[in-house]
Amino acid sequence: QPNEKLQTNLSLSRKVLYPTFQNLDPSTQYVDTFTYYVGNVNLQPEYAYNIDMNIIYNRLITLSLGYSKIEDPINAYFVKRLNPGSMICLATAENLKSQDVWTASITAPFQYKFWTMQNAIGITYNHIRFENEGIAMKREKALTYLYTYQGFRLPFDFNLSLTYQYNSSGVSGVFYHKNCHIVNCALNKSFLNDKLIFTLKYDDIFNGNRQKVWTEMHDIKFSQSTNYDNSYATFSVRYKFGHSTRKYEIKANSKEELKRIQ
C-alpha cells in the first residue's frame, strides 16, 4: 500500500481442472446424418498457471491485469473428420495443446443519494494452439465487454434496477462466436419493514442472448446457432419469518474502516 489512496494486490496460483463425466462418456449421440458426438475416455486434466494484479485507487476504482498459461486445455466440442477425406464429422472432447489468456479490466462504482451505479469494462485476448489431422492450427482473437448496473431507490420503498451487458465477438476453444447484448430490469416493493418483498423481473428484454458459433477445419466449415427466445418475465413473493438470532462481531480492521466512513 504505497499511500492512503493507492493499494495493490498480486497473486500467483496454479489450478487443475478435471474432465467432467459428460466429456468422458463414450456413448454416441447422433446430431444428423453426417455428424455425431461421442465422449473421450482419454481426456487428461488441464493445468493453469495464473498471475493477477489489482491496483485500487481511493477504494473505488480498480484496475485488474492478468495472464494465464494453460496446458492441455479441455475443449468440450472439438470437431474433426471421422476419417481423412470422409464427409462424416465427429464432435468430441479433446485436450488442446496450449492456451494463453491476457486480461485487463477497470471497475468503477458510484453512489449519489438514491442512485447506485457499478460499471466495468475490459478486454480478454485468447491465443489457442492445437492440432487437427497432424497439422498445427491456432485460434486467436480479442474480446471486449462492457457491464453497467443502475439501481434507484424510489419513494414508497420501491427499488428499480437496470443492467446492460455487451460482449463482442471472440473465440472459445476451436470456435468463434458472435457478439451479444443483454438487458435486464427488476422492480421490487417491500412491506412490513422489509419482511415482505414483491419482485417483478424481465430478463433479456430484447432477446439478444442468441448463440452463434462457427469454425473451419481444413476444407470443412462448421456452424451452430440457436434461435429460441431467451427473454422472460418472473414475479416472486418472499417473506421472512421470525427474527434473526445471529450475532455478528466486527473485526478490528472493519471497525477502523467504519469509523473512517462515519
Side-chain angles (χ1 to χ4, degrees):
Q1 186 168 344
N3 53 57
E4 292 183 358
K5 290 191 174 182
L6 191 63
Q7 180 180 354
T8 60
N9 299 316
L10 179 66
S11 66
L12 302 172
S13 64
R14 174 180 180 269
K15 296 182 179 180
V16 182
L17 177 65
Y18 293 95
T20 64
F21 174 79
Q22 288 81 2
N23 292 337
L24 294 170
D25 183 6
S27 59
T28 302
Q29 302 176 33
Y30 293 93
V31 180
D32 55 39
T33 307
F34 297 99
T35 311
Y36 65 93
Y37 177 85
V38 62
N40 185 354
V41 296
N42 297 314
L43 276 180
Q44 299 298 315
E46 72 173 45
Y47 298 88
Y49 303 87
N50 312 301
I51 178 170
D52 296 285
M53 183 175 185
N54 295 322
I55 302 173
I56 306 169
Y57 177 73
N58 203 27
R59 302 180 185 271
L60 292 175
I61 301 174
T62 302
L63 170 65
S64 300
L65 304 172
Y67 168 72
S68 297
K69 176 70 174 180
I70 306 175
E71 297 178 354
D72 300 321
I74 297 175
N75 184 212
Y77 294 98
F78 187 87
V79 289
K80 57 185 178 180
R81 284 186 287 226
L82 184 60
N83 297 302
S86 173
M87 289 300 295
I88 298 178
C89 301
L90 173 68
T92 185
E94 289 278 357
N95 288 107
L96 306 183
K97 186 176 181 181
S98 64
Q99 180 177 1
D100 295 291
V101 184
W102 291 267
T103 59
S105 66
I106 296 178
T107 59
F110 173 80
Q111 186 170 4
Y112 179 74
K113 294 183 179 179
F114 60 87
W115 180 24
T116 301
M117 178 170 58
Q118 177 73 31
N119 300 306
I121 185 171
I123 183 170
T124 299
Y125 181 79
N126 264 312
H127 186 190
I128 303 165
R129 290 170 289 271
F130 60 96
E131 288 188 358
N132 192 337
E133 298 183 8
I135 299 176
M137 305 183 73
K138 66 179 180 180
R139 296 285 186 268
E140 54 183 335
K141 191 174 180 63
L143 176 147
T144 56
Y145 68 88
L146 171 67
Y147 172 85
T148 181
Y149 165 86
Q150 309 289 328
F152 303 92
R153 294 192 305 274
L154 305 179
F156 306 107
D157 292 327
F158 279 97
N159 290 280
L160 174 66
S161 65
L162 301 169
T163 62
Y164 170 77
Q165 182 175 345
Y166 167 76
N167 294 322
S168 72
S169 59
V171 63
S172 177
V174 301
F175 282 91
Y176 294 99
H177 57 83
K178 78 176 192 71
N179 60 356
C180 69
H181 302 260
I182 304 174
V183 180
N184 304 324
C185 70
L187 178 68
N188 65 62
K189 173 73 168 71
S190 59
F191 300 89
L192 306 176
N193 295 324
D194 293 335
K195 276 194 168 185
L196 179 63
I197 301 174
F198 292 86
T199 303
L200 178 63
K201 294 178 61 180
Y202 194 176
D203 292 312
D204 197 8
I205 297 174
F206 301 107
N207 193 26
N209 189 19
R210 294 194 177 190
Q211 183 186 45
K212 183 177 181 180
V213 298
W214 67 93
T215 191
E216 185 173 353
M217 295 292 186
H218 309 298
D219 59 336
I220 298 181
K221 296 181 179 180
F222 301 87
S223 65
Q224 179 181 357
S225 61
T226 55
N227 298 316
Y228 55 83
D229 194 340
N230 286 290
S231 60
Y232 62 95
T234 58
F235 176 74
S236 62
V237 179
R238 183 176 62 179
Y239 183 80
K240 301 177 184 178
F241 293 92
H243 300 279
S244 175
T245 57
R246 295 183 180 180
K247 295 182 179 179
Y248 298 94
E249 295 183 0
I250 302 178
K251 296 182 179 179
N253 58 348
S254 299
K255 290 181 179 179
E256 293 177 1
E257 180 63 14
L258 181 60
K259 185 179 179 180
R260 185 190 72 81
I261 295 174
Q262 292 174 343

